[in-house]
Amino acid sequence: MPKPLSTFLRLTFIGAIAAVALASSIILYLQPRLPDAEKIRDIQLQIPLRIYASGNVLIGEFGEKRRTPVEYQQIPETFIKAVLAAEDDNFFNHRGIDIPGLLRAAIQLATTGHIRSGGSTITMQVAKNYFLTRERTFTRKFTEILLAIQLEQELSKQEILELYLNKIFLGHRAYGIQAAAQVYYGKSVDQITLAQQAMIAGLPKAPSAYNPLSDPKRAKQRRDWILSRMHQLEYINESDYIAAKNSPVTAAYHGPTLDLHAPYVAEMVRQEVIAKYGLQAYTAGLTVFTTIDSHFQKIGQEALLNGLLAYDSRHGYRGPETHVALNDEQQPANDEWLKILARTPAIGPLVPAVVSEANEQDIMVLTADGQSVFLSWEQGLKQARPYLSEDRRGRTPKTTADILKIGDLVRIRLIDEQWHLSQLPAAQSALISLRPSDGAILTLVGGFNYGSSQFNRATQARRQPGSNFKPFLYATALDSGFTPATMINDAPVVFDDSGLENTWRPENSSGKFFGPTPLRQALYKSRNLVSIRLLRAVGIDRVRNNVAKFGFDTSQLPQNLSLALGTQTNTPMEIVSAYAILANGGFKVEPYLIDHTVDKDGNTIFKAEPRVVCSQDCEGIGTRQENASLAGEPVESELGAEAGGKVSNAENTTPSEQAIAPHYAEQVIDPRVIYLVDSILQDTVRRGTATRAKVLERSDLAGKTGTTNGPTDAWFSGYNPDVVTTAWLGFDRYEMLGKREFGGSAALPIWIDFMREALKDSPDLPRTRPQGVVSARIDPKSGLLAHPNQDDGIFELFLEETIPTRTAPSPNAPSVDSQARELEESELF
């Protein structure tokens, strides 16, 4: 053998041995750092937190990464082919690494001094994306190669490809092809076209550079190259290739697709979940199912919006939001207007527009999408009387020039398929609805627009409830021996010892006084002076202690006679919770919003266990330990073990144990007293301050208006046995509502609009009179039992131990009001 050849072979052999030794050393060094097979099979995707209302209606999504994992079988074959053509057409043939590709990358590095291509297969990208950093070092590259080989041994090709397609970043917070299909096309992966599939398949290489939103031209070039590769590889035929290549770029940004926009609810849930599970909840794929009724939530939001706009329109037009000047030639500056409109968001149904043409009694306005909209004199212009104060409006405009001019930025609203001039309301409102049988929150609206103000007025705004508080005072009185027939004088009074700083001269909202008044009428007519005298007779301390049973914090209640008029502050949530006790017969239920939570695998890790009303004899139905779950003792889930989460272990319980009833709510008020209060509150609707609600044509409605001094707050809280709802309206800065605005005019219409739809398919639910409540015919003037010869006697309800024992004098006898004398002695009359 020639010496040169012998030397070459010897050097080659030594080099091979050195290469093998080097490779072996690298493998021995890196092997312990590789994840084990179990970890590979237990790869966790970062999936955002999702929140649902009833009917699987999505109302919230939180998380840095938008991702919706899909299974391999759900992905169209052409989509898979597009990805393979773009990234790794030899994927189904290699064993995790592509030797020719790695050699090409090595040659590029040797000849240029730069890493232009990593020679990575899809398997190597999965290894890098799931387990490694993005640093460009030889150690990381060798680890990637070894891990890719290991992945190929542990997983099928379909499993690897599924991991890849669910992990890759595709721009605009979209991770995975399903999220990308939604972000760019507003569709699912199985609904987009071949051209759209190729567009998404081109993004992994450079999500920013080839992005169809930021650079459509370059993105189309990348898409067309992928289509040509698919054609060359015979993945698609000639006609499909030409049709897809000639397709225009149709990508547009689609934000998170919510089935129902309920941001105040979603934020409440987000805060509760993060407090329970920590920040990992943003990526762990938790799904939260709330108690919110999606239909109720929708109609609640609409009712609040309509009520606020109706109130706002009664008080006048405050003018344009701003004015955009004409250009130097005094001509319409459409380009400048469009820029400003693009920066001005639509708020609810109120769309921003600029007045582009103003005639004597009509206008044209320009919207952000470049459309010109015509508004006639009857489409909100004629009604736009200028706002002067909360109690005064200016004259009805005669021409457009009285209210608007070209360049004014205004709001328009679509009503019955016609645009009308409108404006953003200055006041705010809240509406909250519960299921009184267990406290489930069915509807919650915290304000006009979450984007403008994240302050949740349903749970955070502490406002004076005014007369909305009176039912709880009267419940205490009825529980203390008073009756609906007790006569109390509605007359002027001055208090010097009321505990207030100055002499107090309270009066009724009407400014009138009505003399001796039965307690029933005093409540449904909301007589302030009667309520004050009643509080004084019952005792402030007794009332404070008793109303605590309804959930009121005694530390927040005044220790003076102003308590009768609801001068403390409460949130709408506190008020509606108290009214739930009136609606359910006297049981204390706690409001709750989250029904259950499941992890990414569909396992329940939390299930609410509300205390529920059992109005019948519940003995023997089943008892539970204080901390027992609906299906046995709670056990820790993997997520909950780290953050206090619980999951019901139904597999370890017997059918009888699983059927055990939930915790029972405590009966905190005598159901007989509740029945009497409910009877009076039904009269509020029939003939009191809430007669507007008679439009609902139901016999099972009860409630109470509330208006505070000023007035600054308007309330209505009402219910039937199935639904209890509180509506509030006022200004965040405690401005005056107007002297003609009351709970019955400002808040009650919101309640009516909501309850009309909420109870539309629900039958009337008459209440069953509890034992111990009796009816007696009485004299309406004295409250005593009616005389047998009396023609004007009326029937009244009493607790059996408080029924009157004396009879009114004969109608023919001299008028001697013995009860009046007794009441006078007790300072009531």
Side-chain angles (χ1 to χ4, degrees):
M1 180 182 296
K3 187 173 181 180
L5 179 59
S6 174
T7 302
F8 173 76
L9 292 175
R10 191 165 51 249
L11 292 174
T12 301
F13 179 71
I14 294 172
I17 292 176
V20 170
L22 178 61
S24 299
S25 299
I26 293 174
I27 292 173
L28 289 173
Y29 173 73
L30 297 177
Q31 188 70 38
R33 302 187 178 189
L34 298 180
D36 55 29
E38 182 178 352
K39 185 175 181 181
I40 290 175
R41 287 199 167 276
D42 192 32
I43 290 173
Q44 302 291 321
L45 289 170
Q46 292 189 17
I47 306 171
L49 167 67
R50 293 189 173 98
I51 301 166
Y52 288 86
S54 67
N56 288 336
V57 172
L58 183 65
I59 61 173
E61 180 177 296
F62 297 94
E64 180 184 350
K65 300 178 179 180
R66 292 183 60 186
R67 177 182 281 117
T68 304
V70 289
E71 297 180 359
Y72 183 83
Q73 295 80 1
Q74 298 174 290
I75 306 171
E77 184 178 359
T78 51
F79 207 149
I80 294 173
K81 296 290 188 182
V83 173
L84 296 181
E87 297 293 321
D88 187 359
D89 62 90
N90 197 36
F91 173 74
F92 281 100
N93 298 319
H94 61 62
R95 289 294 182 182
I97 59 174
D98 182 9
I99 301 299
L102 289 174
L103 290 176
R104 285 196 299 272
I107 292 171
Q108 288 175 355
L109 176 61
T111 56
T112 66
H114 301 285
I115 301 176
R116 294 187 175 181
S117 171
S120 293
T121 63
I122 284 178
T123 311
M124 292 169 67
Q125 292 184 58
V126 169
K128 176 180 65 177
N129 289 338
Y130 280 91
F131 298 105
L132 305 175
T133 66
R134 304 187 69 85
E135 61 178 344
R136 289 193 166 193
T137 64
F138 286 109
T139 300
R140 207 255 323 143
K141 195 65 177 179
F142 277 118
T143 305
E144 181 182 311
I145 292 170
L146 292 176
L147 187 51
I149 296 172
Q150 186 173 350
L151 283 171
E152 292 276 349
Q153 294 172 349
E154 297 293 338
L155 304 175
S156 68
K157 287 288 188 179
Q158 290 77 12
E159 288 175 318
I160 293 172
L161 196 53
E162 181 181 308
L163 288 171
Y164 175 73
L165 295 175
N166 283 317
K167 177 74 173 180
I168 49 176
F169 174 59
L170 298 169
H172 289 278
R173 294 180 56 236
Y175 289 78
I177 57 173
Q178 181 75 301
Q182 177 59 52
V183 166
Y184 296 111
Y185 302 108
K187 299 178 180 179
S188 176
V189 290
D190 58 354
Q191 297 174 323
I192 60 177
T193 66
L194 173 61
Q196 293 168 341
Q197 293 170 1
M199 181 69 78
I200 292 176
L203 288 170
K205 184 177 179 64
S208 298
Y210 296 121
N211 196 286
L213 301 183
S214 56
D215 194 340
K217 182 177 180 181
R218 191 175 182 186
K220 185 177 184 300
Q221 293 174 347
R222 173 73 173 167
R223 181 202 73 177
D224 293 347
W225 176 82
I226 292 172
L227 290 170
S228 68
R229 286 278 295 150
M230 295 178 72
H231 184 235
Q232 294 170 10
L233 294 168
E234 298 183 352
Y235 292 163
I236 56 176
N237 58 36
E238 179 78 15
S239 61
D240 289 341
Y241 165 62
I242 294 174
K245 187 176 181 180
N246 290 333
S247 297
V249 176
T250 57
Y253 180 73
H254 297 76
T257 303
L258 301 179
D259 300 319
L260 176 64
H261 192 61
Y264 290 103
V265 173
E267 176 59 17
M268 286 176 64
V269 175
R270 184 197 70 81
Q271 291 182 18
E272 189 170 340
V273 170
I274 296 303
K276 185 177 183 64
Y277 299 112
L279 295 179
Q280 62 178 322
Y282 286 133
T283 58
L286 296 186
T287 301
V288 181
F289 295 91
T290 68
T291 59
I292 293 293
D293 184 299
S294 54
H295 175 59
F296 282 17
Q297 183 67 27
K298 183 175 184 295
I299 61 177
Q301 292 175 173
E302 291 173 353
L304 183 142
L305 171 71
N306 292 332
L308 268 176
L309 292 176
Y311 166 83
D312 198 68
S313 66
R314 291 196 295 270
H315 292 268
Y317 184 62
R318 294 184 300 278
E321 293 181 28
T322 188
H323 179 76
V324 187
L326 300 175
N327 60 21
D328 294 339
E329 290 77 27
Q330 295 299 300
Q331 297 297 317
N334 284 36
D335 291 342
E336 184 64 25
W337 291 347
L338 288 173
K339 290 179 183 178
I340 291 177
L341 287 170
R343 299 194 300 265
T344 307
I347 297 179
L350 304 181
V351 177
V354 172
V355 178
S356 58
E357 182 180 328
N359 301 311
E360 185 173 2
Q361 288 193 334
D362 61 64
I363 62 173
M364 294 288 290
V365 296
L366 179 71
T367 59
D369 58 2
Q371 296 290 321
S372 291
V373 176
F374 174 79
L375 271 66
S376 72
W377 189 241
E378 299 297 329
Q379 290 170 252
L381 300 177
K382 178 181 178 180
Q383 296 80 14
R385 294 174 59 183
Y387 172 89
L388 300 179
S389 72
E390 70 273 11
D391 295 318
R392 295 179 58 236
R393 289 186 295 170
R395 294 179 178 178
T396 301
K398 297 287 177 43
T399 67
T400 298
D402 292 337
I403 50 175
L404 295 170
K405 58 181 177 296
I406 294 175
D408 283 346
L409 177 65
V410 298
R411 295 280 172 169
I412 58 174
R413 181 189 180 197
L414 195 61
I415 303 175
D416 296 330
E417 299 184 355
Q418 281 193 328
W419 289 102
H420 287 69
L421 179 68
S422 188
Q423 66 182 350
L424 295 176
Q428 279 291 352
S429 184
L431 182 138
I432 183 166
S433 181
L434 304 182
R435 185 168 59 217
S437 61
D438 66 353
I441 299 174
L442 303 175
T443 310
L444 189 145
V445 191
F448 172 68
N449 179 261
Y450 184 82
S452 302
S453 171
Q454 290 77 51
F455 182 65
N456 189 339
R457 293 153 192 86
T459 60
Q460 295 176 300
R462 302 198 64 84
R463 310 289 297 217
Q464 290 185 345
S467 297
N468 221 221
F469 177 75
K470 287 179 181 176
F472 310 106
L473 161 63
Y474 281 68
T476 304
L478 293 171
D479 199 34
S480 304
F482 289 78
T483 77
T486 299
M487 304 298 290
I488 304 177
N489 199 13
D490 182 8
V493 65
V494 176
F495 293 103
D496 293 318
D497 58 346
S498 62
L500 301 173
E501 293 183 3
N502 301 309
T503 298
W504 187 36
R505 293 179 174 83
E507 59 182 29
N508 294 318
S509 60
S510 65
K512 300 178 181 179
F513 308 99
F514 299 90
T517 305
L519 186 147
R520 173 182 289 273
Q521 188 181 70
L523 180 53
Y524 74 68
K525 289 289 189 181
S526 200
R527 300 281 167 74
N528 290 339
L529 296 174
V530 172
S531 300
I532 293 168
R533 282 187 164 90
L534 183 63
L535 172 60
R536 191 176 189 184
V538 175
I540 294 174
D541 290 340
R542 182 166 189 168
V543 171
R544 281 164 49 89
N545 292 335
N546 196 71
V547 299
K549 299 176 183 178
F550 290 94
F552 291 101
D553 182 358
T554 56
S555 68
Q556 299 293 318
L557 301 177
Q559 292 182 310
N560 54 61
L561 294 176
S562 71
L563 175 63
L565 306 185
T567 56
Q568 78 280 3
T569 59
N570 296 107
T571 65
M573 176 71 83
E574 292 170 347
I575 294 295
V576 77
S577 300
Y579 272 83
I581 299 175
L582 300 177
N584 66 29
F587 294 86
K588 184 70 170 67
V589 293
E590 295 294 338
Y592 70 103
L593 183 57
I594 296 178
D595 181 78
H596 65 285
T597 303
V598 300
D599 63 18
K600 64 180 181 59
D601 298 318
N603 300 314
T604 300
I605 61 172
F606 170 79
K607 176 67 176 137
E609 296 179 358
R611 295 188 177 276
V612 301
V613 171
C614 182
S615 56
Q616 304 299 321
D617 181 9
C618 298
E619 294 298 326
I621 293 179
T623 58
R624 289 157 50 108
Q625 296 297 322
E626 185 67 22
N627 294 321
S629 73
L630 283 169
E633 292 295 326
V635 296
E636 303 287 352
S637 70
E638 182 176 346
L639 181 66
E642 299 175 3
K646 301 288 186 182
V647 58
S648 296
N649 185 8
E651 295 181 359
N652 297 328
T653 60
T654 66
S656 62
E657 288 173 328
Q658 293 182 33
I660 289 175
H663 296 300
Y664 296 129
E666 179 186 1
Q667 179 99 49
V668 293
I669 304 294
D670 186 340
R672 302 178 306 159
V673 170
I674 294 296
Y675 186 83
L676 295 183
V677 175
D678 174 78
S679 171
I680 301 173
L681 294 183
Q682 288 189 52
D683 274 350
T684 305
V685 174
R686 296 189 187 108
R687 48 185 174 164
T689 57
T691 53
R692 287 189 181 191
K694 291 169 68 176
V695 71
L696 299 180
E697 298 181 345
R698 297 184 66 96
S699 64
D700 60 350
L701 299 179
K704 184 69 186 73
T705 53
T707 309
T708 61
N709 191 38
T712 55
D713 296 275
W715 297 78
F716 187 79
S717 297
Y719 58 87
N720 86 331
D722 280 344
V723 181
V724 55
T725 303
T726 288
W728 166 85
L729 187 146
F731 288 93
D732 284 342
R733 296 186 177 181
Y734 298 90
E735 298 170 43
M736 299 298 182
L737 288 172
K739 62 184 179 182
R740 289 181 295 273
E741 296 290 356
F742 304 94
S745 62
L748 178 57
I750 298 173
W751 186 91
I752 291 172
D753 284 353
F754 171 74
M755 294 294 272
R756 176 186 288 113
E757 292 299 316
L759 301 178
K760 183 171 61 176
D761 300 323
S762 172
D764 272 321
L765 299 171
R767 294 153 177 83
T768 302
R769 184 189 297 183
Q771 292 184 351
V773 175
V774 296
S775 176
R777 190 166 175 267
I778 64 168
D779 171 23
K781 296 180 181 178
S782 67
L784 301 178
L785 293 175
H787 191 276
N789 298 328
Q790 189 168 351
D791 294 331
D792 64 347
I794 60 172
F795 283 94
E796 183 56 272
L797 297 173
F798 298 89
L799 305 184
E800 59 183 358
E801 65 269 25
T802 63
I803 190 169
T805 58
R806 289 177 297 151
T807 302
S810 169
N812 300 321
S815 178
V816 178
D817 196 338
S818 59
Q819 189 190 42
R821 285 197 300 271
E822 291 188 6
L823 290 175
E824 185 177 8
E825 293 171 2
S826 65
E827 299 183 355
L828 289 177
F829 185 78

